[in-house]
Amino acid sequence: MTDCIFCKIIAGEIPAKKLYEDEDVLAFWDISPQAPVHFLVIPKKHIPRPVDVTEPDERLTGKLLRIAAQMAKENGVEDDYRAIFNNGAKAGQVVFHLHMHIIGGKGRPWPM
Ligand code: AMP
Ligand code: ZN
């Protein structure tokens, strides 16, 4: 996806502060953090939205959760983080490459 900002980060075409990378997954700090710890965990495969995940993606999406937990532990928020996927523009999705927000270290300021 040449016009996808997260694919460009994966390709190294635009910079990001990376926490973790392997052949399937990349984690990097959110450029506009909403809490003391706020990073994104993405698959290297371009999947636009959560609703576009299919059965062959099950292992990959499970891995997102596991890597997110590992990075949360390494950054001291294993007892205080939320994992959020926005799906669709109406729900606030701005970047249409699947990503899990890990937002932690702030207690629970959200109503939901
Ligand atoms: P969403 O609203 O769920 O699509 O979230 C997209 C997130 O990507 C936002 O929290 C942005 O701050 C973040 N973001 C956008 N561009 C970059 C970038 N170049 N590097 C890191 N985070 C980014
Ligand atoms: Zn992409």
Side-chain angles (χ1 to χ4, degrees), residues 5-88:
I5 189 168
F6 287 176
C7 283
K8 286 180 178 165
I9 288 175
I10 291 163
E13 291 168 14
I14 58 173
K17 285 178 65 183
K18 296 177 184 176
L19 294 94
Y20 177 89
E21 182 167 20
D22 66 23
E23 65 276 20
D24 302 314
V25 171
L26 178 66
F28 54 97
W29 294 103
D30 197 291
I31 204 166
S32 177
Q34 304 300 308
V37 171
H38 185 178
F39 59 88
L40 305 172
V41 188
I42 70 172
K44 288 195 169 175
K45 177 182 177 185
H46 181 87
I47 300 169
R49 301 169 299 168
V51 76
D52 299 313
V53 169
T54 59
E55 196 172 347
D57 301 320
E58 280 180 3
R59 188 191 64 83
L60 181 59
T61 49
K63 188 170 181 179
L64 296 182
L65 279 175
R66 181 174 64 76
I67 298 301
Q70 190 179 311
M71 293 302 107
K73 286 178 192 158
E74 287 185 12
N75 287 279
V77 294
E78 68 269 29
D79 296 321
D80 179 20
Y81 74 86
R82 302 191 88 193
I84 296 167
F85 288 91
N86 291 323
N87 185 85

Side-chain angles (χ1 to χ4, degrees), residues 1 4 6-7 46 96-97:
M1 272 281 153
C4 170
F6 287 176
C7 283
H46 181 87
F96 285 81
H97 180 125

